[in-house]
């Protein structure tokens, strides 16, 4: 995010030349800019060093789920750090890890058998891909030809090389294409706004996408496919796009037909963000492997995870009983303690019901205020996970050119005093390069008055941005 230009020369030629007031040593996302120092976060607000107080309507990247400064979580982390700050998982386990994994497995109504705790969504996806491959090697007889994955265009599953390879985000892949594994192919996303034909029913659209996926299995050889990978509600790449009714049941049927696994990436849309703890609960299917993150620990510690179904775990247990994968900081005690306490708070305070109830209010108010705006093409989402896609022409749905930086500029403008709202930018919505959207994903414990504050600020922000640009 481009925020403030760095002041002064980066490399003074003499000692007498004035040096910048501050020269960062951080390898930031953008080296030609200086980022706003965040001094404190409390409740739903971010407090900046220059005195600004920003309402965090996106929870960062859909991370914050119980607000900031929660003392219960801080105390749980502190207690764990003082008791055992680190655990070498080659020899030991901790009560925090055991209780967290038991909580997660039990939350799936018997569909999942084991949980694996790591530090980021990208790590979780890397583990999922390797576990899927190993599953087929552990079968009796093994199926070593299963080396391929099928995913979807305009998807994002993480930034490490394996996760990037199964993602379909053109911009993020571009510089690293030569390094990415070549055993991945992609099919169309389930994207009603841009993919569904005029007068095409949901059933017809699902059938068309199903036929495309089935044809891709046939093209690459169904006996070579490990898994199909998808997000139940597409986050950063498309801006909160849910599938149409029946899509994932059709996908599940095709995977079962060819003996492939179904991997659902819920790093961004899961752990309550869409109104149920697991987004797949709303689809009527369960995955074989699931990745989780962001709202798992609510930002209080770096934590993500993988859930594996009984089919997968049974094969490993009957085979070598060894998952050939590992991280120094997997199952980190403080991260597990934070995530466990966050999940307890969500359950005890019945926050998922709040997400469902006020999610309907957020949806209705956004559509009332911005649905007719000439540069708002589509408003979509579920629960507390909503995307607004911007277009240059509402009739044709033509996007703005990438060099206009519409989404990023809107988000930057939102930090100004008259709006004081933090929303999350996304680009490449149309084809991985063109297209702009923002994401609104507030904490699960916001009130109806908070929802009105968000809608008011976002409405003024969008109206003013396009009025100034016209």
């Amino acid at each position: 995010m481009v925020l403030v230009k760095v002041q002064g020369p980066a490399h003074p030629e003499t000692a007498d030349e004035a040096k910048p007031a501050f020269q960062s040593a951080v390898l930031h996302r953008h080296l030609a800019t200086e980022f706003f120092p965040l001094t404190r976060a409390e409740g739903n607000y971010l407090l900046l060093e220059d005195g600004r107080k920003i309402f965090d309507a996106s929870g960062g990247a859909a991370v914050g789920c119980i607000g900031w400064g929660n003392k219960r979580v801080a105390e749980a982390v502190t207690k764990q750090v003082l008791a055992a700050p680190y655990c070498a998982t080659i020899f030991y386990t901790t009560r925090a890890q055991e209780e967290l994994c038991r909580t997660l497995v039990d939350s799936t109504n018997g569909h999942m058998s084991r949980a694996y705790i790591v530090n980021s969504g990208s790590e979780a996806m890397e583990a999922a891909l390797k576990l899927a491959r190993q599953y087929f090697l552990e079968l009796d007889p093994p199926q070593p030809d299963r080396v391929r994955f099928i995913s979807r265009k305009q998807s994002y599953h993480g930034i490490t090389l394996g996760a990037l390879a199964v993602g379909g985000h053109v911009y993020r892949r571009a510089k690293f294409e030569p390094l990415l594994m070549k055993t991945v192919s992609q099919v169309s996303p389930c994207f009603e706004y841009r993919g569904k034909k005029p007068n095409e029913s949901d059933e017809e659209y699902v059938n068309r996408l199903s036929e495309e996926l089935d044809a891709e299995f046939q093209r690459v050889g169904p006996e070579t496919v490990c898994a199909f990978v998808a997000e139940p509600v597409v986050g950063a790449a498309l801006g909160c796009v849910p599938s149409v009714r029946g899509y994932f049941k059709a996908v599940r049927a095709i995977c079962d037909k060819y003996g492939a696994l179904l991997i659902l990436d819920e790093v961004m849309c899961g752990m309550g963000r869409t109104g149920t703890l697991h987004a797949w609960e709303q689809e009527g299917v369960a995955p074989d492997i699931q990745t989780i993150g962001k709202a798992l620990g609510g930002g209080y510690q770096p934590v993500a995870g993988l859930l594996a179904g009984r089919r997968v775990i049974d094969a490993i247990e009957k085979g070598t009983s060894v998952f050939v994968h590992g991280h120094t900081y997997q199952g980190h005690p403080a991260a597990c303690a934070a995530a466990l306490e966050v999940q307890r708070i969500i359950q005890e305070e019945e926050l998922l019901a709040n997400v469902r109830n006020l999610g309907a209010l957020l949806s209705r108010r956004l559509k009332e205020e911005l649905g007719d705006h000439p540069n708002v093409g589509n408003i979509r989402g579920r629960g507390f996970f909503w995307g607004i896609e911007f277009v240059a022409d509402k009739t044709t749905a033509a996007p703005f050119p990438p060099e206009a930086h519409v989404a990023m500029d809107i988000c930057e403008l939102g930090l100004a005093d008259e709006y004081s709202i933090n929303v999350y930018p996304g680009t490449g919505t149309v084809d991985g390069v063109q297209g702009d959207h923002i994401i609104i994903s507030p904490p699960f414990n916001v009130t109806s008055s908070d929802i009105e504050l968000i809608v008011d600020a976002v409405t003024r922000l969008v109206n003013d941005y396009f009025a100034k640009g016209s």
Side-chain angles (χ1 to χ4, degrees):
M1 183 181 292
V2 179
L3 297 174
V4 182
K5 293 293 182 184
V6 175
Q7 301 297 316
H11 299 286
E13 295 181 1
T14 72
D16 294 331
E17 291 187 57
K19 294 184 178 180
F22 175 78
Q23 183 67 47
S24 179
V26 177
L27 180 55
H28 280 296
R29 294 169 181 254
H30 195 304
L31 298 184
T33 63
E34 187 176 326
F35 292 79
F36 295 130
L38 175 65
T39 59
R40 197 164 75 257
E42 56 183 37
N44 296 324
Y45 288 89
L46 306 174
L47 284 75
L48 306 186
E49 201 170 80
D50 62 11
R52 272 179 289 174
K53 187 176 182 181
I54 309 293
F55 191 96
D56 191 0
S58 70
V63 173
C65 58
I66 60 168
W68 308 119
N70 188 287
K71 291 184 178 179
R72 274 185 60 177
V73 183
E75 289 170 358
V77 172
T78 300
K79 182 179 178 181
Q80 182 60 56
V81 168
L82 292 174
Y86 170 71
C87 177
T89 54
I90 193 171
F91 295 116
Y92 311 107
T93 188
T94 61
R95 183 59 56 192
Q97 178 179 226
E98 295 293 336
E99 290 186 9
L100 174 61
C101 291
R102 174 50 56 194
T103 296
L104 292 172
V105 167
D106 287 350
S107 72
T108 66
N109 195 30
H111 289 293
M112 296 300 179
S113 182
R114 299 268 182 160
Y116 180 80
I117 304 301
V118 290
N119 305 303
S120 73
S122 296
E123 287 184 9
M125 182 52 67
E126 296 283 342
L129 300 177
K130 291 176 74 175
L131 182 60
R133 165 63 177 168
Q134 188 176 334
Y135 161 76
F136 288 103
L137 297 179
E138 299 280 354
L139 292 176
D140 185 16
Q143 300 179 28
D145 291 338
R146 298 237 186 210
V147 296
R148 302 191 62 89
F149 293 88
I150 301 174
S151 60
R152 304 191 293 184
K153 300 170 185 175
Q154 293 132 280
S155 60
Y156 179 63
H157 298 294
I159 205 66
T160 50
L161 290 177
L164 196 61
V166 294
H169 197 285
V170 174
Y171 174 78
R172 290 176 175 176
R173 289 174 58 107
K175 289 181 170 60
F176 310 102
E177 285 286 354
L179 306 180
L180 303 181
M181 61 182 179
K182 309 306 178 186
T183 54
V184 179
S185 57
Q186 293 164 345
V187 294
S188 300
C190 185
F191 189 2
E192 183 175 8
Y193 174 59
R194 291 195 174 273
K196 192 176 177 184
K197 296 178 181 178
N199 302 318
E200 187 175 35
S201 68
D202 284 356
E203 183 179 4
E204 290 169 336
Y205 185 38
V206 167
N207 287 340
R208 179 159 59 87
L209 293 176
S210 300
E211 289 172 0
E212 181 185 352
L213 179 58
D214 195 288
E216 184 61 16
F217 268 91
Q218 291 290 339
R219 186 187 73 82
V220 301
E223 72 284 353
T224 70
V225 179
C226 284
F228 177 66
V229 184
E231 293 171 272
V233 181
V234 184
L238 289 183
C240 309
V241 172
S243 65
V244 301
R245 186 179 299 276
Y247 171 77
F248 276 103
K249 285 186 176 180
V251 163
R252 173 81 265 183
I254 292 171
C255 289
D256 291 344
K257 174 182 176 181
Y258 295 118
L261 300 179
L262 175 61
I263 299 175
L264 292 185
D265 177 356
E266 296 202 5
V267 169
M268 200 171 198
C269 68
M271 299 312 297
R273 178 59 62 189
T274 63
T276 50
L277 194 63
H278 307 291
W280 52 259
E281 295 177 71
Q282 299 174 53
E283 305 298 339
V285 302
D288 298 295
I289 300 173
Q290 171 189 359
T291 57
I292 54 177
K294 300 188 189 297
L296 172 62
Y300 284 84
Q301 288 282 290
V303 63
L306 172 154
L307 290 167
R310 294 188 178 279
R311 169 187 177 185
V312 174
I313 295 303
D314 284 351
I316 303 293
E317 288 181 338
K318 292 175 182 176
T320 64
S321 78
V322 177
F323 179 29
V324 188
H325 189 68
H327 291 276
T328 299
Y329 292 112
Q330 72 182 61
H332 191 273
C336 290
L340 182 60
E341 198 65 24
V342 167
Q343 294 309 308
R344 285 171 173 167
I345 290 169
I346 290 172
Q347 183 176 14
E348 291 169 13
E349 298 184 7
E350 299 182 340
L351 296 185
L352 296 185
N354 196 54
V355 172
R356 291 190 293 272
N357 294 335
L358 292 187
L361 175 64
L362 177 59
S363 167
R364 177 172 60 81
R365 293 291 291 119
L366 285 172
K367 291 175 181 178
E368 287 174 351
E369 296 298 323
L370 289 170
D372 293 330
H373 191 286
N375 297 114
V376 171
N378 189 234
I379 300 172
R380 67 288 184 120
R382 285 181 187 166
F384 277 177
F385 199 44
W386 286 87
I388 303 175
E389 182 174 344
F390 302 107
V391 293
D393 187 299
K394 198 176 183 79
T395 302
T396 64
F400 288 96
E403 57 269 21
H405 304 296
V406 170
M408 186 65 77
D409 286 352
I410 288 174
C411 292
E412 288 184 27
L413 182 61
L415 302 181
D417 287 335
E418 57 263 47
Y419 313 106
S420 296
I421 191 85
N422 188 84
V423 290
Y424 192 76
T427 58
T429 325
V430 177
D431 57 10
V433 177
Q434 298 183 98
D436 294 272
H437 63 263
I438 60 172
I439 290 176
I440 299 168
S441 49
F444 301 171
N445 53 5
V446 294
T447 64
S448 58
S449 61
D450 291 327
I451 295 296
E452 294 297 341
L453 181 156
I454 292 169
V455 173
D456 174 71
V458 171
T459 299
R460 289 187 292 107
L461 171 62
V462 171
N463 287 335
D464 292 352
Y465 173 80
F466 287 108
K468 292 173 183 176
S470 61

